[in-house]
Structures are given as C-alpha cells and as structure tokens.
Amino acid sequence: MAGLAPDGGLYLPSEWPQLSRDEIAGFAGQPYQNVAFAVMRPFVGDDLPDDDLRALIDKAYSRFNHAAIAPLKQLSHDQWLLELFHGPTLAFKDFALQFLGHLFEYLLARSGTDLTIIGATSGDTGSAAIDALAGREHVDIFMLHPHDRVSPVQRRQMTTVQAPNVYNLAIDGTFDDAQALVKQGFADQQMRGRLTLSAVNSINWTRVMAQIVYYFYAAAQLGAPNRSVSFSVPTGNFGDIFAGYCAYKMGLPIDVLVIATNRNDILHRAIQAGDYSAQGVEPTSSPSMDIQVASNFERLLCDCSGGDGRLIGQMMAEFNDTKSLRIPADLLEKIRPLFRSARVDEEATAEKIRTMLDHTGELVDPHTAVGLAAADSHQSHAPMITLATAHPGKFRSAVERACGIRPSLPNHLAGLFDREERFDRLPNSFDALRSYVFEKKAA
C-alpha cells in the first residue's frame, strides 16, 4: 500500500519463492488467471484468503479484449511476439494496474482508510492507473506527465477522464523531473503527516509482482522448464524487465534478458561499460522509454549485492547528487551473464516497423520495434520472445511515418479526440505540487 519506503528506498522480497519444474510445466495450456494465482500466491502469504485473491485476479483480467489475455504469436522459427496490449488502455501496464486497482479497493474497504496516490508517467502508466482507479471510493489520484512529451493518444486517455477523484498535471519538464517530484512527496514530512500516500509507478512492488506472471505464462507455452527461453524487453524504468529477472530467480530457465533502449540509453551504457550516468532526455518516437533515471535498476543492484541495503543506499545517494555512478566490477560480473543490451536509434526503429509489416504482416508500435531490433542483435540458443508493450494505435503518427499505414484505435476508444480534456499545468517545482495537492484535498 505504501509503494515507496519512507527513506526513499524500494521494497524487495526478503527471499525469492521457488516454483518447481512440475509447477512450471503445469502452466502449459492453463488460463492466464490460473498462472497469475500460482505465481503471485507465494508473495501474498496470509494477507489475503485464496478465494479473495482469485476473485481479484478474475476481476483484473475481465476487461481484456483477447481471450488469451497475453497471446503469443510466432514470427519465425525462433522469434515470438508476446502481445501485452489487449487491456483497456492498450499497454502492458494494464496487467499490473487493473489488479492493483481492485487490490486497493479491497484493502481500503477492509481498513476504512482514504488513500492519496501520486504518480508520474511517461505515457502509459498514467492512463492505465487512471482507468483502474477512476471513480473508486476512498482514493484520489494525482498523475504527473511531462508536458508535450507524451503522444496525443496517451495524453487524451488520461485527460479526458472526468472522474472527480482524478487530477492530471502537466509538468514543465521531463518524466525524470516528474518522477523526482513524486519521490520528494513521499519523503516530505508535511505530505506524509497529512495524507496516506501510495504509489502506482513500478516503484510499487505489486506492479512488478503482477508482471512476473506473463514471463512464466509465455515460457511454458514454448516448453519451459524443459526448454530455456529468452526475452527482449523495451524498457525505460527497468520495471518490466526486472519482472523477468524475478521470474528467473523463482526458477524459470531464462537464457538471456535483452534490455532494449532507444537513444536514451542509460541502461545500455550501464550494462556495457558500468556507466550509470544520466544525460539529457531526448524526445523519440518511443516516448515511454524517454527516461534517464531507471528507478527499478537499484532493485537489481540490491539483489546482486546480496541485499546490501546500506551499500545501495550510498550508491543511490551518490547518483542523486552527481547524476553519475560507476557500477562496481563485482556487481557487473553478477549482472552480465543473464543480461544483454542494445541501443536502437530512430532510423532503426522505423526500419523495424517497416520490415515487420513486410515480412510478417504485423503492425507494431515504436517501443515494440525497439525490442524487436534489439532481439536481432542478441540471438541466443533459446527461442526469443519480444514483449509487445503497446498497441500501434497509441502512436499513430510515428507508425504512419515509418510504414505509410495509420493504425486505427479499437472501438472502445472511438471518439477519443472528440472528448473534452481536463488538466492543469504546473512548473517543475515541488512547492507548487504540494500546494496543488493540499488545495484539491481541502476542496
């Protein structure tokens, strides 16, 4: 419920639950909801009765518009595409946030607590969180997005929601600036003293936990655990690919995890050279990855350090002060056997959209194209599954520029551009954010 720890750190499990080979093999042919229950149950412990957890999972995936929830498509003899965009807001964030929305409602009804959610989005988290929480009792959500740095569809999926508990804020800055304001809010004594705060970004452990599921679900379809698999993951904040690492730690045989970045390549530089240093954020056709501070990366560093929270705290403090960090050689040695990385520029992204359409008939969005191009550069001995993280209709102009076809939106989003928008613009100032939140909460 807290999302972010009071000292600014991130929560991690004290130990990784293990799924047996028989359990993993048994996922083959199972409905997605059954796999979700089996994977998440060990983390939930005694906090929820099994029947209640099953009910929350069933509710979470009831609004997905594909019977398989996460269909796996074959592209070639050893290349596969895991479609994660069949949820209500057409992005992989729906897998965790639909579950989290129902979980919040369940826990708040049990406790009688009112919750204030403050989040930052590079595009998809905001719309998925708002869809999951709009109109729910006991919850107010303040969602920050970088002004003019998300796609028109992404923005309108947030700003056309008229629910009284939803507040959209366009921040004069980048996603990293918005994320920094959120973290300041959780550390601020005034806000913590007056409000019960929670987070919906992937800094919230529940987000990562729910995303572990589709790694097991997809791998079992291709023969796991008797056969290893690899994944290529378009990533900016490192949450989605960290979920793959969690699956690996839980016993899923993964050969390679490919970190796919656009030209905002802090994660690529970190893996290749140990250089975790933030540079200026450059706008791209894959805006959800236009990030230079990958919040979940410290979770990987912490786990690879043996859970040395003091060391990681010192490293993150150094990074916050200087925006630069050299990853110690012993940590890199533990990271590199599993992880690969690739930087994909705008030209290669557009080319991959074109070639995918020509060779397979599949129309993909720019983020997925980055993942596919990165997969090409790191073949493994195992089947390669690229995560298709968003529907191409969310990035219509970029797709049209690349291949000449303007993708349409599904029927449930028809008329999106005819709906009235509602948002407020704020400077990149924590004082301005705090004043805004207190004013709206007092209204």
Side-chain angles (χ1 to χ4, degrees):
M1 288 287 283
L4 191 69
D7 65 354
L10 303 183
Y11 291 111
L12 275 171
S14 56
E15 59 184 6
W16 295 108
Q18 297 298 301
L19 297 183
S20 70
R21 292 177 63 85
D22 287 344
E23 286 177 300
I24 297 170
F27 293 156
Q30 288 291 315
Y32 188 89
Q33 294 89 330
N34 289 3
V35 180
F37 177 81
V39 171
M40 290 196 280
R41 177 67 182 82
F43 295 109
V44 172
D46 297 328
D47 286 338
L48 286 97
D50 285 356
D51 288 347
D52 290 355
L53 176 59
R54 287 186 183 276
L56 291 173
I57 290 169
D58 288 342
K59 289 179 183 178
Y61 301 111
S62 64
R63 295 176 59 210
F64 279 60
N65 61 14
H66 196 294
I69 310 299
L72 188 64
K73 287 189 173 180
Q74 188 167 9
L75 303 177
S76 70
H77 73 283
D78 63 350
Q79 292 277 341
W80 301 77
L81 196 66
L82 183 63
E83 292 187 347
L84 301 177
F85 53 73
H86 293 286
T89 71
L90 313 182
F92 77 96
K93 309 294 178 75
D94 288 322
F95 279 84
L97 285 164
Q98 286 294 311
F99 175 75
L100 187 59
H102 288 290
L103 179 63
F104 275 156
E105 186 174 54
Y106 172 93
L107 295 173
L108 292 173
R110 196 166 71 176
S111 67
T113 305
D114 289 330
L115 196 64
T116 300
I117 292 171
I118 302 178
T121 182
S122 54
D124 290 331
T125 288
S127 57
I130 287 170
D131 181 272
L133 296 168
R136 295 193 187 275
E137 295 183 2
H138 305 295
V139 179
D140 288 316
I141 178 169
F142 295 81
M143 185 56 63
L144 287 62
H145 71 267
H147 183 59
D148 283 340
R149 287 176 178 259
V150 300
S151 82
V153 171
Q154 287 176 310
R155 186 188 76 246
R156 285 177 172 273
Q157 283 185 300
M158 295 185 283
T159 60
T160 59
V161 176
Q162 302 297 325
N165 67 328
V166 172
Y167 301 92
N168 280 293
L169 302 174
I171 301 298
D172 291 328
T174 67
F175 166 79
D176 291 336
D177 295 325
Q179 181 84 306
L181 293 177
V182 171
K183 289 187 174 182
Q184 282 182 266
F186 278 83
D188 183 71
Q189 293 302 313
Q190 288 188 52
M191 294 192 76
R192 296 190 71 89
R194 292 175 57 174
L195 306 171
T196 302
L197 296 176
S198 187
V200 291
N201 287 77
S202 56
I203 54 179
N204 187 315
W205 165 253
T206 307
R207 283 277 309 273
V208 176
M209 178 186 74
Q211 290 169 210
I212 298 171
V213 176
Y214 47 70
Y215 285 92
F216 280 100
Y217 179 75
Q221 294 184 57
L222 297 185
N226 298 317
R227 185 188 197 190
S228 295
V229 293
S230 293
F231 292 90
S232 179
V233 186
T235 191
N237 215 18
F238 204 74
D240 204 9
I241 197 164
F242 184 73
Y245 174 79
C246 298
Y248 170 79
K249 295 290 286 188
M250 293 172 68
L252 186 65
I254 295 177
D255 185 42
V256 168
L257 287 171
V258 180
I259 301 167
T261 73
N262 61 21
R263 63 189 177 195
N264 297 291
D265 63 349
I266 183 172
L267 291 168
H268 174 58
R269 288 183 281 111
I271 298 299
Q272 296 298 313
D275 173 25
Y276 189 71
S277 59
Q279 301 174 355
V281 176
E282 298 183 41
T284 72
S285 61
S286 48
S288 298
M289 299 160 64
D290 292 347
I291 297 172
Q292 285 284 2
V293 180
S295 295
N296 284 283
F297 191 60
E298 68 180 87
R299 279 187 162 122
L300 178 67
L301 295 176
C302 187
D303 197 64
C304 290
S305 73
D308 190 340
R310 179 174 296 181
L311 170 65
I312 302 306
Q314 293 171 347
M315 291 171 62
M316 291 300 106
E318 176 187 340
F319 177 77
N320 290 336
D321 290 341
T322 66
K323 300 304 178 187
S324 181
L325 178 68
R326 297 296 304 181
I327 301 173
D330 59 332
L331 286 185
L332 274 179
E333 288 177 2
K334 295 178 180 178
I335 292 171
R336 283 174 169 164
L338 180 63
F339 288 93
R340 305 289 185 273
S341 68
R343 178 188 191 274
V344 180
D345 62 24
E346 290 291 271
E347 183 178 349
T349 301
E351 177 64 20
K352 180 51 70 172
I353 293 174
R354 287 191 292 272
T355 58
M356 275 294 295
L357 183 62
D358 291 343
H359 296 162
T360 71
E362 295 291 332
L363 194 62
V364 299
D365 88 291
H367 305 78
T368 304
V370 169
L372 289 162
D376 290 342
S377 65
H378 288 291
Q379 289 300 310
S380 73
H381 298 296
M384 178 70 75
I385 302 171
T386 297
L387 272 53
T389 53
H391 190 285
K394 298 193 78 167
F395 305 93
R396 298 187 294 175
S397 296
V399 173
E400 184 178 27
R401 285 195 302 270
C403 68
I405 294 178
R406 189 171 181 83
S408 59
L409 289 168
N411 291 336
H412 75 275
L413 288 177
L416 180 66
F417 282 80
D418 299 325
R419 303 173 194 170
E420 180 184 355
E421 290 191 84
R422 179 169 61 89
F423 66 93
D424 293 304
R425 187 171 173 182
L426 288 185
N428 180 22
S429 159
F430 177 69
D431 288 341
L433 173 63
R434 181 171 55 194
S435 296
Y436 180 94
V437 172
F438 283 168
E439 176 188 339
K440 296 300 182 183
K441 293 293 289 186

